[in-house]
Amino acid sequence: MPGTPDYFRGKTIVITGAASGIGKATALIFAREGANVLCADIDGEGAARIADEVSEGGGRGVATTNDVTSRGSVEEMIRKAKEAFGRIDFQFNSAGAALRRSEFLDIDEELWDQTFDLNVKGIYYGMQAVLPEMLSNGAGVIVNMASMAHRRGGPGTGVHYAAAKGAVVSMTLGVAREYAGRGIRCLSISPGPIDTPFQDISSPELIQSMKDAIPLGRFGRPEEIGEVVLFMCSDACEFMTADTVFINGGGGWR
């Protein structure tokens, strides 16, 4: 929770991947706090539904259809947020996926490139598009979606995904340190397994093995990640930047 009551009221966050999962949950949590939410997703109809829920839930929601693997599309997303709300205070780069699981020797160039385009370039484009606006305002917080996978390496099913998320953690660290003296905080969040459509590419056996490795005995809920994003953007943790925050139920390290 923020240190100041109504801290988020009237402030603006841009969320990619807002139509489902963690992005959706985070949009609705910011709505609860009275924020303006630009809901961006390649699924435009889904983004529009969430934007309506944001407006019904206490915030102001605007939807936009964007492909984060396209620099032009991401730049248009930022322009739309500025046009709708006047300024941008926060950005949550939530869009990302493993696309499909694969043993290392079966990872082809197409899967590797698509994984990095979505998970790394999408965040790179997002930060480059929003930073000039935040620098002009003299303040801003960027939260990037990493993953517990970058600590494990993704052996057997997802080296490509783990490598991409490792790049996100490193890029976040570099941007945070470069702009720390100019009012910008930049953080990443590294969840363990979360109960989202992301798990649809996992076999029942893999899902059970992941649950068995979590002392709390369950996957996380999207809302549990969204509440942490809210905290990271708030005035309750203004000394926090460059870090990645692990949320994994006590497990996921092996």
Side-chain angles (χ1 to χ4, degrees):
M1 295 297 293
T4 304
D6 293 327
Y7 178 77
F8 290 103
R9 188 163 300 281
K11 290 186 171 68
T12 299
I13 184 168
V14 173
I15 300 178
T16 67
S20 64
I22 293 170
K24 170 186 174 180
T26 304
L28 298 180
I29 286 166
F30 273 81
R32 180 195 70 200
E33 300 295 320
N36 307 319
V37 185
L38 192 287
C39 301
D41 204 287
I42 198 167
D43 173 9
E45 292 184 0
R49 286 194 297 271
I50 303 310
D52 288 343
E53 290 187 42
V54 166
S55 297
E56 294 165 2
R60 292 175 59 205
V62 170
T64 179
T65 305
N66 296 99
D67 177 0
V68 298
T69 69
S70 163
R71 182 186 289 276
S73 184
V74 171
E75 290 174 346
E76 177 59 28
M77 173 186 75
I78 297 301
R79 283 194 293 271
K80 185 158 187 177
K82 275 286 302 282
E83 180 182 285
F85 301 122
R87 62 176 282 154
I88 301 168
D89 302 284
F90 317 107
Q91 182 183 62
F92 180 34
N93 291 305
S94 179
L99 301 178
R100 64 180 170 86
R101 298 193 181 276
S102 176
E103 294 183 1
F104 181 70
L105 289 177
D106 295 328
I107 298 170
D108 55 29
E109 284 193 43
E110 181 180 18
L111 177 58
W112 185 271
D113 290 345
Q114 289 176 344
T115 303
F116 271 72
D117 284 349
L118 175 58
N119 293 283
V120 183
K121 275 190 177 179
I123 291 176
Y124 156 62
Y125 291 154
M127 290 198 291
Q128 282 200 333
V130 82
L131 270 167
E133 161 68 9
M134 290 182 171
L135 290 168
S136 177
N137 295 337
V141 182
I142 299 170
V143 179
N144 296 325
M145 180 62 72
S147 170
M148 189 70 202
H150 89 272
R151 290 295 297 270
R152 300 181 66 249
T157 62
V159 170
H160 54 303
Y161 179 70
K165 291 305 187 179
V168 170
V169 171
S170 295
M171 183 167 54
T172 300
L173 172 63
V175 169
R177 290 172 65 86
E178 183 169 344
Y179 294 101
R182 301 179 67 181
I184 310 299
R185 293 193 296 114
C186 188
L187 297 140
S188 60
I189 191 162
S190 290
I194 305 299
D195 190 9
T196 70
F198 178 90
Q199 300 303 338
D200 291 347
I201 64 171
S202 304
S203 68
E205 294 78 16
L206 180 58
I207 287 174
Q208 188 58 53
S209 71
M210 288 190 290
K211 284 184 179 179
D212 290 343
I214 301 172
L216 286 182
R218 64 172 177 85
F219 284 1
R221 294 185 291 270
E223 295 77 14
E224 292 173 308
I225 308 303
E227 294 287 0
V228 175
V229 175
L230 184 80
F231 172 73
M232 294 165 84
C233 289
S234 79
D235 63 341
C237 61
E238 292 179 337
F239 195 56
M240 181 186 291
T241 193
D243 296 309
T244 192
V245 175
F246 294 97
I247 308 175
N248 53 57
W253 295 96
R254 67 186 188 192

